[in-house]
Amino acid sequence: MTQASSTSTTTGADRRWGDRWGLIVATCWMFALGLGPIYTLRDRIQPLPAGQYIDDARVNAAFVVLYLVVIAALARRVPRLSRPTTVLLVALHVLVIASALWSLAPGRSATQGLLFALTTMTAVVVGDRIGVRGLLLALAVAAQVGVVLSQLAVRRSWPNTIDGNGDWSGIYLNRNSLGPVAMLALLATFGAMALWWQDRDGATSRSSRDVGLGAALGGALVVLVVLDVHTLLRSASLTPVVGAVVAVLTVIVAVLVPALQQRFASGRAASGGPVTEQVSPWPLVAAVVATWAGVAVVAMVGRSQVATNLDRSSTLSGRTELWGWLIDAISRRPFGGWGWLGVWEDRALEAEVVARFNVDFSTAHNAVIEMLLATGVFGALLLVATVGALIWPAVQLTAHSGGDRRLGVVAMGLVGYVVAVNQLETYVGANLLPWALLVGGAATCARTLADDAGSDRAAVPNPSRVSI
């Protein structure tokens, strides 16, 4: 009896981290996303002009094959995203693809719009399959592989691993592609190790093998953290640092607010008030939004001083000036926009950007402005509503008393990171890891909530089946 119980517990714990096949496929998929291996491999075969990689037929075909293989390998059930969330996602992608009808670059808008939709579909399938723990573990492994290979590439003097300013790009196209990978490796590894350790903390006994395994993993963690920090510093990318700060603050808020609500409810119950185990998610929403707004205000007010201390431009490397110019471009087509990524194909506008900022920007470096530019006011509002709907399952899971709130806290940390980095880069679109993490996180939180609800119903006895 004891042996059977022990086996069952171990199997259940293992499954919480996702099935082996799902984890392998998801890890490979995450490793391939972003401006990384697929792009750099194509560039080594035949170098492409700057900014033209997203139009390359071989690159786009490789991503289509990748998405179809992942979906075929992992899809096994209907995802549990809510109907409003599904409707918003479909509407967003239909609008982006339809923008090819009025785009300055119809072919680019149609192709990138379809790839954007495939990225979302794949993220939903992956998140629904492997769970919150699995998503975190796959991200940690994929990002760590990217960091280690980038270190190897620089040490071996592979072409284009260091840019003209001496900043590392590793196996990625540029420093701002490598930096986020190093930061995600750091955050995901710490998150996965914390969950794993807390899971094992519930065990009644520890063997010498457990202690040895913990020591080995601890040593490996130290090595990986050193590599991650070193890679992040050598990339000199600040955007992921901002993302990490917001992620950590979001995690702190997600831990404190439900705990304070629960304590208040317990005190009220002890005084003869109503007994309740479930806490409302709205105080957490308000606290998280207030935290994000506070960080934004502090960043805008203090950016000149921070930039001076870091020897950077107070215009955020020209971003604030670019946004001002783009708002003028948006005002020319406020409702329809210029088509998804179409404005960056217009040679006259491109020449104006280059002449004014002495740099060839290929994105708006802000997700909302990018959507405004592409699809107008309606598209931007639709994006904000869709992101809100994708965040909601993580909020619910964090406030849910019937399940493991730690999973919701982890998901909220990912949400905070994705929201923050999209203020300084455009990480909403085709083949982009932050967008995939946001969608995948929503899918896996929705599945966890559905499974918890099913467990709760199964635990309630059915009076009609009780024997008398």
Side-chain angles (χ1 to χ4, degrees):
M1 180 68 176
T2 305
Q3 183 179 358
S5 176
S6 175
T7 303
S8 175
T9 302
T10 302
T11 304
D14 291 341
R15 285 178 179 173
R16 287 185 300 180
W17 288 92
D19 62 281
R20 185 177 302 173
W21 175 244
L23 285 173
I24 291 172
V25 174
T27 301
C28 294
W29 172 66
M30 289 187 188
F31 175 68
L33 287 178
L35 302 181
I38 291 179
Y39 291 102
T40 51
L41 180 61
R42 174 67 179 91
D43 195 53
R44 291 196 70 174
I45 294 173
Q46 181 181 353
L48 294 167
Q52 299 305 306
Y53 43 82
I54 68 171
D55 298 318
D56 184 68
R58 296 181 187 178
V59 168
N60 293 333
F63 275 111
V64 169
V65 171
L66 173 67
Y67 294 140
L68 294 179
V69 168
V70 173
I71 291 173
L74 299 187
R76 64 179 182 182
R77 56 191 178 186
V78 178
R80 298 307 297 267
L81 285 176
S82 68
R83 185 172 298 176
T85 303
T86 304
V87 169
L88 286 169
L89 278 172
V90 170
L92 178 68
H93 288 298
V94 167
L95 179 61
V96 167
I97 294 171
S99 72
L101 297 175
W102 59 85
S103 174
L104 296 178
R108 168 183 280 190
S109 296
T111 301
Q112 292 301 310
L114 288 169
L115 281 168
F116 187 10
L118 276 174
T119 304
T120 298
M121 291 171 59
T122 309
V124 170
V125 170
V126 170
D128 187 76
R129 175 69 179 261
I130 63 176
V132 177
R133 287 179 175 86
L135 192 72
L136 195 64
L137 180 59
L139 174 61
V141 175
Q144 292 292 1
V145 170
V147 168
V148 171
L149 289 179
S150 292
Q151 286 272 348
L152 178 64
V154 171
R155 303 299 177 193
R156 302 223 167 200
S157 301
W158 290 1
N160 304 320
T161 55
I162 302 177
D163 66 20
N165 296 320
D167 298 324
W168 285 17
S169 54
I171 64 169
Y172 298 85
L173 280 186
N174 52 53
R175 67 184 184 90
N176 284 326
S177 300
L178 173 61
V181 171
M183 182 58 79
L184 283 172
L186 196 62
L187 295 176
T189 300
F190 267 116
M193 288 295 293
L195 278 178
W196 176 81
W197 186 256
Q198 288 182 347
D199 287 343
R200 297 187 65 81
D201 223 18
T204 56
S205 62
R206 296 184 186 279
S207 65
S208 58
R209 181 168 175 251
D210 292 332
V211 175
L213 178 61
L217 288 175
L221 178 63
V222 170
V223 173
L224 291 175
V225 167
V226 170
L227 286 178
D228 295 338
V229 173
H230 181 249
T231 303
L232 180 64
L233 292 175
R234 294 307 301 265
S235 72
S237 180
L238 292 181
T239 298
V241 176
V242 175
V245 170
V246 175
V248 171
L249 291 175
T250 304
V251 165
I252 293 172
V253 171
V255 169
L256 290 180
V257 172
L260 292 174
Q261 286 179 269
Q262 198 69 54
R263 177 173 294 185
F264 176 75
S266 299
R268 189 169 53 182
S271 303
V275 179
T276 176
E277 293 184 359
Q278 189 70 27
V279 298
S280 170
W282 292 110
L284 176 58
V285 171
V288 167
V289 171
T291 300
W292 292 349
V295 172
V297 170
V298 170
M300 292 304 295
V301 171
R303 76 172 191 265
S304 296
Q305 185 61 45
V306 173
T308 300
N309 293 338
L310 296 177
D311 195 25
R312 296 294 183 95
S313 167
S314 61
T315 64
L316 305 178
S317 301
R319 285 175 174 82
T320 56
E321 294 180 352
L322 175 68
W323 294 336
W325 177 82
L326 291 179
I327 289 172
D328 177 66
I330 291 166
S331 68
R332 303 180 210 172
R333 292 190 181 184
F335 299 107
W338 300 82
W340 184 244
L341 303 180
V343 72
W344 304 107
E345 189 66 9
D346 183 86
R347 298 308 176 195
L349 291 174
E350 181 185 22
E352 186 177 343
V353 171
V354 173
R356 184 166 179 177
F357 303 111
N358 194 32
V359 64
D360 186 9
F361 286 104
S362 57
T363 71
H365 289 274
N366 180 284
V368 175
I369 293 178
E370 193 77 67
M371 194 61 72
L372 274 169
L373 195 64
T375 57
V377 175
F378 180 71
L381 292 175
L382 187 56
L383 173 64
V384 172
T386 303
V387 170
L390 291 171
I391 293 173
W392 183 245
V395 174
Q396 286 182 298
L397 188 58
T398 306
H400 184 49
S401 62
D404 191 343
R405 283 180 176 166
R406 297 175 306 159
L407 304 182
V409 171
V410 168
M412 288 300 296
L414 288 176
V415 163
Y417 177 87
V418 173
V419 169
V421 296
N422 268 294
Q423 308 312 305
L424 297 172
E425 299 286 346
T426 299
Y427 283 131
V428 170
N431 316 326
L432 297 175
L433 181 57
W435 173 256
L437 290 175
L438 181 65
V439 176
T444 193
C445 288
R447 170 60 64 182
T448 303
L449 287 167
D451 290 346
D452 288 345
S455 300
D456 292 342
R457 284 194 298 270
V460 177
N462 188 342
S464 64
R465 295 185 179 180
V466 175
S467 300
I468 299 176

